[in-house]
Amino acid sequence: MGKPTGFLEFARKPPPRRDVRERLKDSQEFYLEWSEQEARDQGARCMNCAVPFCHTGCPLGNLIPEWNDLVYRGDWHGALERLHATNNFPEFTGRICPAPCEPACVLSINEHPVTIEYIEKAIADRGYREGWITPEPPAHRTGKRVAVVGSGPAGMAAAQQLNRAGHLVTLFERDETIGGLLRLGIPDFKLEKQVVQRRVDIMAAEGVRFETGVNVGYDLTAAELRGEFDAVCLTIGAGSARELPVPGRDLDGVHLAMEYLTQQNRRIAGRSYTEAETITAEGKRVIILGGGDTGADCLGTAHRQGAEVVYQLELLPQPPEHRRASNPWPQWPLILRTSAAHEEGGIRDYNVMTKSLSGRNGRVEQLNAVRVEWGPPDATGRPVMQEVEGSEFSIGVDLVLLAMGFVHPEHPGIVTDLGVDLDGRGNIATNADRMSSVPGVFAAGDSVRGASLVVWAIAEGRQAAHGIDKYLMGQSSLPSVRV
């Protein structure tokens, strides 16, 4: 695959990023583009490695060596066809997926891996520029009606696949626009919303019906939903955020990360928001609790709003810069990651546990914390955390953002109304075809897996579509995905 000696001739070279000083002035994507030759050189680095371990890292089973080779040869249209064969939305994964395929790349054993994610983005963007990505409505209709509840990447993937099978699909979204967290959670500087909208427009032209502003389970009951549709698919995400149960949590100025990010996305889009308080970091001392992707999204947003200083605090230890012996290739590397937002500034700190928040006149002014250390695992295999005696400290703060992850889907509403079984973590329990305990009711994405990656959400949506099609028709020609 690619050029036989390409990995020896060309170094890994991701596309350039906009200068930090410039990109902090706006909310546009920070990516720049490769030249044609640069993209082909990066495709040339893909080796004829016999066993392409990149497939083991990709939940979608993307045909990575094939489209790398086609890019190297300049066959961009062919590369797009192979990319779309397994991935409904490469323009999303090429921007916001952490690319688990890359650490599994054979080159990654002792070299920098192939730039798989960026090649994927380049193929998708080329496809739109050339007009190759167009609506593909089904040749026939089955007459079967399917409701998909939740319009994030899992819901969009399920809806598009089911529509391709000829079913009449209605995609319900409780917010005012289609896309879920793609639209309202992820900042524009990582994913500009016109990238989402152009795919929504294509799906609408293919025959998918969108219903926004409908909170299924309240505006539309489970009985009404099941009476109108032959099958239902819940792709409602893991909307219950992990909370911070400490004194002072109820002070003004303390917000869940998604309250902050969705308000900013609505503001940039010129839409109104329902919160009485405008949540902004402008001129403020900001503390973000949580070191993951959501925390980094808050960090980049706070920079663009003009924060005075931003701290990002993490309960866990700082990861190593390189793989430990216990974390070998091709496993996902548990290492320190520096996102584009971290390049822009901020103070990162680890082994910090928040004990309380304090303030005056009902508003937060101080975060009180203690250092912790992690000992050997206990009988359950979990490391033991202990507070470091005498390590208490405080930080002055005006805005605290809780980005500590999500625990499970929201239960009140459609989940409770349908009466589906839950697993031990509070997620919707399903079989291999993603059918729940209620016949004809399916679920996919974060509502089944817990909070995960966009590539897993798309894979889950595709698997649920296969299961629904088989349930409705007795068999399915839609692909079954390893999830």
Side-chain angles (χ1 to χ4, degrees):
M1 295 297 163
K3 188 177 184 181
T5 57
F7 70 99
L8 298 173
E9 297 177 32
F10 306 112
R12 177 184 169 96
K13 184 182 178 183
R17 294 173 174 177
R18 299 171 59 208
D19 183 86
V20 168
R21 293 166 297 181
E22 291 300 315
R23 70 189 195 222
L24 286 180
K25 298 176 183 177
D26 58 48
S27 295
Q28 297 173 13
E29 287 185 355
F30 56 78
Y31 306 96
L32 296 173
E33 292 188 359
W34 281 318
S35 68
E36 168 86 12
Q37 191 58 54
E38 286 173 327
R40 294 179 66 175
D41 289 347
Q42 292 302 297
R45 296 185 71 237
C46 188
M47 304 187 299
N48 187 4
C49 55
V51 179
F53 277 82
C54 54
H55 288 184
T56 70
C58 178
L60 284 165
N62 279 337
L63 307 173
I64 296 164
E66 295 188 31
W67 39 261
N68 281 339
D69 179 61
L70 290 164
V71 166
Y72 160 62
R73 299 179 186 282
D75 184 357
W76 289 88
H77 191 275
L80 179 66
E81 289 183 339
R82 301 313 290 149
L83 182 53
H84 267 152
T86 56
N87 187 349
N88 297 68
F89 314 123
E91 66 271 34
F92 303 162
T93 51
R95 285 171 164 82
I96 60 173
C97 181
C101 52
E102 292 189 12
C105 172
V106 172
L107 262 181
S108 193
I109 296 175
N110 62 349
E111 256 287 357
H112 295 300
V114 175
T115 50
I116 298 170
E117 179 185 13
Y118 300 114
I119 292 173
E120 187 173 357
K121 174 181 178 294
I123 295 169
D125 288 352
R126 180 71 172 262
Y128 277 106
R129 283 199 306 272
E130 299 288 348
W132 297 332
I133 301 177
T134 57
E136 300 178 20
H140 70 281
R141 289 291 180 183
T142 65
K144 301 291 186 181
R145 299 174 58 83
V146 183
V148 180
V149 183
S151 72
M156 289 180 65
Q160 188 171 59
Q161 291 294 98
L162 288 164
N163 184 72
R164 286 173 173 171
H167 306 307
L168 299 168
V169 182
T170 301
L171 183 56
F172 291 96
E173 171 57 54
R174 68 180 177 183
D175 290 314
E176 73 277 12
T177 188
I178 296 294
L181 291 187
L182 296 172
R183 201 65 171 259
L184 292 176
I186 296 171
D188 283 59
F189 56 81
K190 286 174 62 177
L191 178 66
E192 291 187 14
K193 303 318 168 199
Q194 60 87 17
V195 174
V196 181
Q197 186 59 47
R198 67 187 178 187
R199 182 61 76 168
V200 172
D201 292 342
I202 285 173
M203 290 175 60
E206 290 174 336
V208 176
R209 181 184 176 193
F210 299 111
E211 292 283 349
T212 58
V214 179
N215 192 352
V216 176
Y218 296 95
D219 303 325
L220 186 65
T221 68
E224 292 170 330
L225 193 69
R226 301 211 65 196
E228 185 176 349
F229 294 93
D230 300 295
V232 174
C233 184
L234 302 180
T235 52
I236 56 177
S240 294
R242 182 171 286 109
E243 265 291 355
L244 182 69
V246 301
R249 165 62 181 92
D250 58 345
L251 290 169
D252 290 342
V254 184
H255 300 276
L256 294 172
M258 280 303 145
E259 295 173 349
Y260 175 63
L261 293 173
T262 56
Q263 187 180 107
Q264 174 69 357
N265 278 327
R266 286 189 168 108
R267 185 183 297 118
I268 291 172
R271 297 191 183 95
S272 60
Y273 46 88
T274 58
E275 296 87 349
E277 177 186 1
T278 297
I279 310 171
T280 178
E282 183 178 2
K284 294 179 179 178
R285 301 164 297 173
V286 181
I287 294 178
I288 302 163
L289 298 182
D293 288 342
T294 302
D297 291 346
C298 291
L299 179 66
T301 301
H303 288 152
R304 283 157 180 78
Q305 291 181 342
E308 177 185 319
V309 61
V310 187
Y311 298 87
Q312 189 173 10
L313 307 182
E314 173 59 69
L315 178 66
L316 299 173
Q318 179 173 328
E321 293 189 7
H322 304 286
R323 288 180 185 268
R324 292 191 173 100
S326 59
N327 179 214
W329 174 90
Q331 293 178 359
W332 175 255
L334 304 175
I335 58 174
L336 181 65
R337 301 180 186 280
T338 300
S339 72
H342 294 122
E343 293 175 356
E344 298 162 359
I347 301 167
R348 303 167 82 176
D349 203 354
Y350 298 85
N351 288 325
V352 176
M353 182 170 71
T354 302
K355 298 292 286 186
S356 67
L357 301 165
S358 55
R360 292 177 296 176
N361 301 318
R363 186 155 196 91
V364 69
E365 292 183 339
Q366 191 165 275
L367 181 140
N368 309 301
V370 64
R371 299 283 175 184
V372 299
E373 57 185 16
W374 296 85
D378 59 17
T380 67
R382 303 183 66 177
V384 177
M385 181 185 72
Q386 291 183 330
E387 296 183 17
V388 177
E389 186 176 353
S391 66
E392 295 83 1
F393 67 99
S394 298
I395 305 175
V397 63
D398 306 300
L399 177 63
V400 178
L401 301 172
L402 309 181
M404 302 178 297
F406 304 86
V407 291
H408 51 65
E410 296 176 5
H411 295 159
I414 191 61
V415 172
T416 300
D417 206 5
L418 283 168
V420 295
D421 287 348
L422 305 176
D423 65 16
R425 295 182 301 154
N427 298 317
I428 300 171
T430 67
N431 63 16
D433 281 337
R434 291 296 174 257
M435 187 188 289
S436 74
S437 58
V438 179
V441 176
F442 294 73
D446 289 2
S447 62
V448 172
R449 295 186 61 83
S452 190
L453 311 178
V454 64
V455 68
W456 273 109
I458 296 171
E460 287 269 343
R462 288 171 66 91
Q463 180 65 10
H466 169 85
I468 293 168
D469 188 37
K470 186 166 68 173
Y471 169 78
L472 294 174
M473 308 302 292
Q475 60 183 1
S476 178
S477 59
L478 294 175
S480 178
V481 183
R482 170 185 55 86
V483 291

